[in-house]
Amino acid sequence: MDSSNQFLLLSLGTNNEQVKHMDDAQKYIDQAFTNVRYSKCIWTAPVGGGTNLYLNRLAVTSTALSYDKVVEITKDIERRLGRMAEDKRRHRVPIDIDVLQLGQSVYHDKDWQRQYVKQLLSDIGL
C-alpha cells in the first residue's frame, strides 16, 4: 500500500433488484478504485420499515482520495443506479453505499453494531 493511500471500507446495501444493483455497484466501484476486495453477500431483514429484504456486502481497498471525494464517488454511483431523494421515504433502495472507515476515521457508528456488518467483517478477514 502506497504511503499516501489510506484504508477504505465501504458498506453496500440494496432492497430493489438486489442482485442486479449489487453487481452494477461492484462494477462502478471497481472502475473508481483499484484492488477492491469484497465480502460475501448476506440477505437481511429491513431496518426501520419496508418489507423487501436487503442484500448487503462490504468492500475494502485503499485510496489517496479525501473523504469528501470518496463520498462524491459513492453518491454518483447511487445516482447512476437510480437512487433518488424520495426513495428512502418509500423504503426503496436501489443501492446505498456508506463509507464505514477511511484511514483512522470511522463513520456510521450504528452500522458497526449491526450483526451482518460484524459477520461480513469476519468474512473479509477484518
Side-chain angles (χ1 to χ4, degrees):
M1 187 158 70
D2 183 295
S3 62
S4 63
N5 281 350
Q6 300 183 81
F7 175 81
L8 174 61
L9 176 63
L10 301 174
S11 173
L12 291 75
T14 171
N15 75 351
N16 177 261
E17 296 183 60
Q18 295 95 323
V19 173
K20 177 192 181 314
H21 284 131
M22 190 63 73
D23 288 348
D24 289 348
Q26 181 175 333
K27 288 175 192 164
Y28 286 126
I29 289 169
D30 287 343
Q31 289 172 4
F33 302 99
T34 58
N35 301 318
V36 183
R37 289 188 306 127
Y38 294 91
S39 70
K40 65 183 176 186
C41 290
I42 292 181
W43 292 96
T44 60
V47 176
T51 57
N52 289 353
L53 289 177
Y54 276 80
L55 188 60
N56 302 277
R57 87 179 329 173
L58 298 178
V60 177
T61 189
S62 61
T63 184
L65 299 174
S66 68
Y67 174 81
D68 290 341
K69 185 62 179 171
V70 171
V71 169
E72 181 183 313
I73 290 167
T74 60
K75 295 304 170 199
D76 181 59
I77 294 169
E78 290 177 354
R79 280 189 297 276
R80 287 183 189 192
L81 296 182
R83 181 97 188 251
M84 296 180 286
E86 64 272 12
D87 284 344
K88 193 170 190 174
R89 188 182 73 249
R90 294 179 6 217
H91 305 293
R92 179 186 177 274
V93 182
I95 194 72
D96 180 41
I97 306 172
D98 291 326
V99 177
L100 294 186
Q101 186 173 342
L102 179 60
Q104 299 301 311
S105 299
V106 175
Y107 306 92
H108 299 278
D109 292 336
K110 287 182 181 177
D111 288 352
W112 288 89
Q113 303 310 311
R114 299 193 195 284
Q115 187 57 43
Y116 74 86
V117 171
K118 292 177 183 181
Q119 188 176 346
L120 292 174
L121 285 167
S122 175
D123 175 64
I124 203 163
L126 298 176

